[in-house]
């Protein structure tokens, strides 16, 4: 074969190779197209521009007004807590608290000294056993009482009073009594609904031989508010952003028209918003949210909570990845792990978002360790990180809208009853401190940055400068002990 022949052969081989490479790239691109389409859909449906957030603020504020007017008039229950007295730094002595949340029990011994001084504190944590979450009421409260008994015996002093933080919707009859309205956060002890939870605990304490009774019943937001107010009197509200989410704030009695028999002459009352059940009409539930609601108790309930809180964000991400895996091969073929509900936790989602390494090594490790997806290419890791960021951003910005709605309800957001006028300061600026507790805000820096950024966007710089978002640690437990102390004293100190 002559030189020209070899050239023709070489040209043909080169052309064939080039064609094969092009075909390979086209095939690979086509495999990516469905995954990219899912990502674009998530970006569009999870978008929360500032104008939309302002409408969420207005809607929630309207629901808050309605909830204070009458029972069952609003999706947010606006429960009166019967707390009209917060610690005034004169409390002294030893107090105990039991804190029942979505992921665990906490038992606290708190020694108070005069002048906003917590001299000593002991905290014991215990995870909630799965069988207790769906068992009987008696078993549930007996477990709490027996653990508290062991804790007190080790400490050697029963203390003066017991504060009880019960972080589920309760309709209170007094500071020491209230009936469970419904369970949230995957609890489903049906027989406990309608029961007086303080009485249930008191009976369990008696069965376990403890000479101690609940003298202050509250939810976790109220405890956080109490601790925040203990150190800073400008604290007007508290927000929990952890496994679940909720808020409470100090309301004027004259703004409350329902349940007048529960109001005192103190002039103010702490209101438990129960904003987890709010479903903002401006934020459509995505197919991932809807599928997710189908797989959990209280179907189509707790919409705000399921878009914001730590118990659910990882699961939303899993549903998105599962959809991508069904429509493309971006995760390869071994994707059975993506079909398992709740296999991806929110701490994993946080670690994925916060991975700033060039090769996203942590993202790859999480996919391999938790989802059993191996050898994930960098391009897919970037896609995973982007999806987790989108989910985080929506959650944080909605939480920010909730905070601003409370400020709007109290007339501290620079507008007149939620009008769309440009916010501006009128009169003497009021410092507004919001106590915040919960791992999602405290430990997840990306979430915290998005929330703070959104508050500034909605309020504007002038008004935002008057608002302080202050992290409060162990507020739900320590605050319960503080309120128990406030109500066990003979003083009559209103908020």
């Amino acid at each position: 074969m002559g030189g020209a022949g070899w050239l023709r052969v070489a040209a043909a081989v080169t052309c064939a190779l080039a064609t094969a490479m092009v075909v390979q790239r086209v095939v690979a691109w086509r495999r990516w197209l469905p995954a990219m389409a899912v990502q674009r859909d998530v970006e569009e449906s999870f978008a929360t521009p500032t104008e939309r957030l302002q409408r969420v603020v207005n809607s929630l504020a309207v629901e808050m007004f309605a909830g204070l007017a009458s029972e069952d008039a609003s999706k947010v229950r606006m429960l009166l807590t019967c707390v009209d007295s917060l610690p005034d730094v004169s409390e002294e002595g030893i107090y105990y608290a039991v804190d029942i949340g979505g992921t665990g029990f906490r038992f606290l011994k708190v020694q108070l000294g005069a002048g906003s001084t917590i001299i000593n504190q002991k905290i014991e944590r215990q995870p909630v056993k799965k069988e207790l979450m769906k068992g009987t009421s008696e078993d549930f409260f007996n477990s709490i009482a027996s653990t508290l008994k062991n804790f007190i015996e080790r400490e050697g002093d029963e203390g003066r009073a017991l504060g009880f933080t019960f972080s589920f919707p309760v309709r209170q009859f007094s500071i020491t009594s209230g009936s469970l309205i419904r369970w949230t956060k995957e609890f489903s002890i049906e027989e406990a609904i309608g029961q007086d939870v303080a009485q249930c605990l008191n009976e369990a304490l008696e069965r376990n031989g403890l000479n101690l009774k609940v003298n202050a019943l509250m939810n976790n937001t109220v405890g956080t508010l109490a601790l925040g107010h203990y150190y800073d009197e400008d604290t007007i509200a508290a927000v929990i952003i952890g496994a679940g989410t909720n808020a409470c704030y100090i309301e004027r009695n004259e703004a409350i028209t329902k349940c007048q028999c529960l109001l005192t002459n103190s002039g103010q009352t702490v209101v438990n918003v129960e904003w987890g059940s709010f479903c903002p009409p401006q934020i459509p539930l995505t197919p991932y949210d809807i599928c997710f609601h189908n797989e959990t108790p209280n179907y189509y309930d707790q919409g705000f909570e399921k878009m914001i809180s730590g118990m659910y964000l990882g699961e939303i991400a899993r549903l998105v990845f599962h959809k991508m895996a069904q429509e493309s091969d971006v995760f390869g073929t071994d994707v059975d792990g993506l079909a398992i509900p709740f296999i991806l936790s929110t701490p994993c989602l946080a670690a994925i978002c916060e991975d700033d390494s060039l090769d996203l090594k942590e993202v790859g490790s999480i996919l391999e360790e938790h989802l059993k997806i191996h050898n994930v290419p960098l391009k897919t890791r970037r896609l995973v990180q982007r999806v987790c960021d989108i989910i985080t951003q929506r959650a944080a910005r909605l939480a920010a809208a909730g905070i601003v709605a409370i400020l709007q309800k109290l007339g501290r957001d620079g507008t007149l009853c939620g009008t769309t006028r440009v916010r501006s300061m009128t009169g003497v600026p009021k410092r507004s401190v919001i106590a915040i507790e919960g791992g999602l805000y405290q430990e997840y820096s990306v979430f915290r940055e998005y929330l703070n950024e959104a508050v500034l966007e909605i309020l504007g710089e002038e008004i935002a400068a008057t608002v302080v978002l202050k992290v409060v640690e162990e507020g739900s437990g320590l605050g319960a002990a503080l309120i128990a102390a406030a109500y066990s004293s003979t003083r009559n100190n209103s908020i």
Side-chain angles (χ1 to χ4, degrees), residues 180-378:
L180 175 63
I181 297 172
R182 60 186 165 82
W183 292 102
T184 59
K185 299 184 281 284
E186 313 314 309
F187 281 74
S188 57
I189 308 171
E190 295 300 322
E191 66 180 27
I193 295 175
Q195 292 185 353
D196 183 340
V197 293
Q199 181 181 344
C200 289
L201 181 55
N202 285 336
E203 291 171 355
L205 293 172
E206 186 176 350
R207 285 194 297 269
N208 282 269
L210 273 176
N211 184 29
L212 195 63
K213 288 187 180 295
V214 174
N215 80 312
L217 170 66
M218 71 212 74
N219 78 348
N220 51 357
T221 62
V222 178
T224 300
L225 174 63
L227 185 60
H229 193 271
Y230 188 66
Y231 289 119
D232 190 329
E233 290 187 353
D234 288 336
T235 302
I236 59 167
V239 175
I240 301 294
I241 312 175
T245 185
N246 191 18
C248 73
Y249 71 102
I250 301 170
E251 181 61 275
R252 297 171 296 111
N253 283 356
E254 62 192 46
I256 304 170
T257 56
K258 69 176 183 180
C259 303
Q260 288 288 307
C261 60
L262 295 179
L263 303 179
T264 68
N265 60 4
S266 66
Q268 292 183 306
T269 298
V270 176
V271 174
N272 168 18
V273 179
E274 285 296 333
W275 75 16
S277 58
F278 175 56
C279 259
Q282 301 82 6
I283 307 295
L285 288 173
T286 70
Y288 314 104
D289 293 311
I290 293 169
C291 289
F292 176 57
H293 287 206
N294 271 314
E295 295 174 359
T296 61
N298 306 314
Y299 167 65
Y300 212 70
D301 199 4
Q302 296 296 107
F304 208 49
E305 182 168 75
K306 287 178 178 177
M307 288 188 275
I308 292 175
S309 67
M311 184 165 282
Y312 305 109
L313 299 187
E315 175 66 359
I316 293 174
R318 180 198 69 83
L319 288 168
V320 175
F321 300 146
H322 189 229
K323 177 73 169 177
M324 288 179 169
Q326 288 177 322
E327 300 195 0
S328 73
D329 63 354
V330 294
F331 293 106
T333 57
D334 189 10
V335 293
D336 290 345
L338 286 173
I340 302 173
F342 293 95
I343 195 171
L344 185 66
S345 68
T346 297
C348 287
L349 176 140
I352 286 171
C353 280
E354 294 178 338
D355 184 0
D356 58 1
S357 61
L358 292 176
D359 61 352
L360 297 180
K361 182 178 180 180
E362 182 65 17
V363 176
S365 297
I366 290 170
L367 293 174
E368 184 168 338
E369 180 179 347
H370 294 272
L371 300 177
K372 310 305 177 187
I373 302 175
H374 305 282
N375 302 317
V376 178
L378 181 58

Side-chain angles (χ1 to χ4, degrees), residues 30 47 70 93 136 143 161 207 227 308 317 464 472 478 480:
R30 284 177 177 172
S70 64
T136 68
S143 176
R207 285 194 297 269
L227 185 60
I308 292 175
V472 173
L478 292 175

Side-chain angles (χ1 to χ4, degrees), residues 98-117:
V98 173
D99 181 4
I100 307 303
T103 57
F105 301 156
R106 287 188 294 181
F107 303 86
L108 299 90
K109 175 186 176 183
V110 181
Q111 184 177 1
L112 301 177
S116 293
T117 303

